[in-house]
Amino acid sequence: MSRFVLRRVLGLVPTLWLVVTLVFFLVRLAPGGPFDAERAVPPEVMAALEAKYNLDAPLLVQYRDFLADLVFRADLGPCFKYPGRSVREIIALSLPVSMQLGCLAMVLALLVGVPLGVVGAVRHNRAADTIAMSVAMVGISVPRFVLAPILILVFSLTLYWFPVALWESPRHMVLPVICAGLPTAAYIARLTRGGMLEVIRADFIRTARAKGLSEWRIIWRHALRGGLLPVVSFLGPGFSGLLVGSLVVETIFNIPGMGRYFVEAALNRDYGLVMGVTLVYGSLLMVLNTAVDLAYAWLDPRVKLDG
Amino acid sequence: MAEVQDNSLRRDAWRRLKRNRAAVVSGCILAVLTLCCVLVPELSRWRYDEANLALGPTSPSWGHWMGTDYLGRDLMTRVFFGGRISLAVGVVATMVSFVIGVIYGGVAGYFGGRIDNLMMRLVDVMYTFPFLILVILLMVFFAGKDGAPYGVWVSVLGVFVADPKDPAYFPVFQIVFVFAALGAISWLTMARIVRGQVLTLREQPFVEAARTMGVSHTGIIFRHLLPNALGPIIVYATLTVPQVMLTEAFLSFLGLGTQEPLASWGLLASGGAEMMDIYPWILVFPAVMLAATLFCFNFLGDGLRDALDPQIRGGQR
């Protein structure tokens, strides 16, 4: 087990390096530079600016310095757009907000999705199943940027229950978390239903019934463990979906998370910030995916840990 | 012999699909919607990019059934014109992912062993890749007029038309770029599904027979293995279309996908979302169209899965 974990974790390093390298050169080879957007400056000033940020060095030297700074000092360099602040500061300020949003949304998605899916499977092909799955289908089909304005219109502008935007008190968090979590909940409901339907037909469930266990005990203690396997394997992509979703949600609700730097940094050619955001999201995704694989193996004894 | 069995299987699946009312209704709605997207912009009195600033945004009326947007453009024409782009993105990008995924998965599954191991390990690595970051970066950096892909586009287009640099072609380039980018990131699961199917099929006697008759590797993969693996592939392709459309809508929302004055449902809805408290119809119509289309594709995909997936067939009581 520990050998497997070690191998998987070590396997992340080359992938991460690949991503970082790819993005590093992609950003620098792209047309335009970080100081193009400002009004035209004399060439001497431009040269001074580039020298200050080490942009006049050959590409490979820049790459070497960047990697050295990153590996040995965990330093991502300065941020071009917000002078005087480092990329690390910006990430340290915004990442916790995004994490909070993502985790709350995932909790909500599980709390809504799993029961909905179980109901669908237990009442297979009956009214409750049809209703649960229609709700889930709507959840999958409505994009977050449509859901968000509807939520704001109903709950903020008409009923005045929750604030329109920002991220300050728990009341501020309600609408963004619902908006980020519901589409994921819909996916989880469908996966739970599918997994449960398969498990309910299995022999060990028939045995449990024959023993005379109560229906709820069978579902919660016996079927759910196997029925949730598809959900577990979805959690990796699900989290990445939430990260993407948080991009939209953070924009609409004006939440000071990391999502907005995604596009903003790329548009501004803010090399350091692009690298920082890529690195954080990339490693987060990879670690989560690995964790999901491990959880999968732990839940399903049939999976052999080799790889 | 194989032909006869194949036919009866297909007829069986077709009957099963027809019994699934939700899937049939979804299919019909999609057909009608597609027809509308083709016809409405042609037959309409208005053009999709014809602004009327004196008119401005008006609510739905007899002249403009869906109202007009903030530039006074007829919303119905724009919504159905946007539907063309949204549907095209969904279908074309799915086809791109279909081609890549089928070839990749087919080769890996057929040859098996070391090759399979290596190819699938690569897919595993790519699964953990933050693709969306790359797509966003690609859209920001290379979908412009000064990027290298535009140069390639101009030289390819130059073969067909006299003046490839004509700005009228530029929006087309951007959309083709979206196709390619979305197709390129959505083939991984397709490759896995195809590989799994091929892996089980290649041990069957009919493959052995084809091999003894001297059919080449390519022939066996494309003529014998893939047609038999088509069921799950079609199901997954149907479910890829809404995913891709959603991603396009997301990119358009960020301002990176389809650009004005063209329209896609994502772009229209995101524009409408900004002013939904004053002009709700600008959001409502494209959003409903987008949601309805995704809804239908998902239902159709589910119906196809029930009709075609042999695992569920075996479990039917």
Side-chain angles (χ1 to χ4, degrees), chain A residues 121-255:
Chain A
V122 172
R123 299 252 167 270
H124 187 207
N125 279 343
R126 276 185 266 174
D129 179 25
T130 316
I131 293 171
M133 284 309 110
S134 304
V135 170
M137 199 65 106
V138 172
I140 290 180
S141 304
V142 177
R144 285 189 175 92
F145 62 80
V146 172
L147 184 61
I150 294 172
L151 287 176
I152 295 178
L153 192 65
V154 174
F155 293 106
S156 305
L157 299 177
T158 311
L159 295 171
Y160 301 105
W161 286 359
F162 302 110
V164 177
L166 296 181
W167 189 258
E168 279 153 11
S169 66
R171 257 164 59 90
H172 285 87
M173 299 180 184
V174 175
L175 290 186
V177 167
I178 291 177
C179 183
L182 275 193
T184 309
Y187 271 106
I188 290 179
R190 284 164 57 91
L191 288 170
T192 309
R193 175 176 177 267
M196 290 295 282
L197 277 181
E198 231 163 76
V199 171
I200 282 176
R201 292 196 196 118
D203 291 338
F204 73 94
I205 295 294
R206 202 179 313 144
T207 313
R209 283 225 174 86
K211 281 200 313 191
L213 294 183
S214 76
E215 192 63 29
W216 280 114
R217 205 177 155 76
I218 293 173
I219 298 295
W220 289 113
R221 294 295 299 275
H222 295 267
L224 211 53
R225 187 174 157 133
L228 281 186
L229 283 177
V231 177
V232 172
S233 61
F234 167 76
L235 285 184
F239 261 112
S240 71
L242 270 184
L243 295 179
V244 172
S246 72
L247 242 162
V248 171
V249 175
E250 284 175 14
T251 311
I252 293 180
F253 289 94
N254 204 4
I255 295 169

Side-chain angles (χ1 to χ4, degrees), chain B residues 27-78:
Chain B
C28 294
I29 294 178
L30 281 179
V32 171
L33 255 174
T34 313
L35 201 67
C36 287
C37 289
V38 173
L39 290 181
V40 170
E42 299 300 323
L43 299 179
S44 167
R45 267 190 293 159
W46 322 98
R47 268 178 56 85
Y48 72 93
D49 56 354
E50 183 186 317
N52 182 351
L53 290 173
L55 183 64
T58 58
S59 52
S61 62
W62 281 116
H64 302 275
W65 288 4
M66 292 186 185
T68 54
D69 70 359
Y70 32 92
L71 293 179
R73 294 175 293 196
D74 178 56
L75 196 60
M76 189 161 88
T77 315
R78 278 185 75 69

Side-chain angles (χ1 to χ4, degrees), chain B residues 191-214:
Chain B
R192 274 191 177 173
I193 291 173
V194 175
R195 177 226 174 218
Q197 288 290 312
V198 170
L199 216 52
T200 53
L201 281 172
R202 70 177 183 143
E203 306 298 337
Q204 307 271 321
F206 74 89
V207 177
E208 194 81 10
R211 204 172 293 144
T212 35
M213 280 164 67

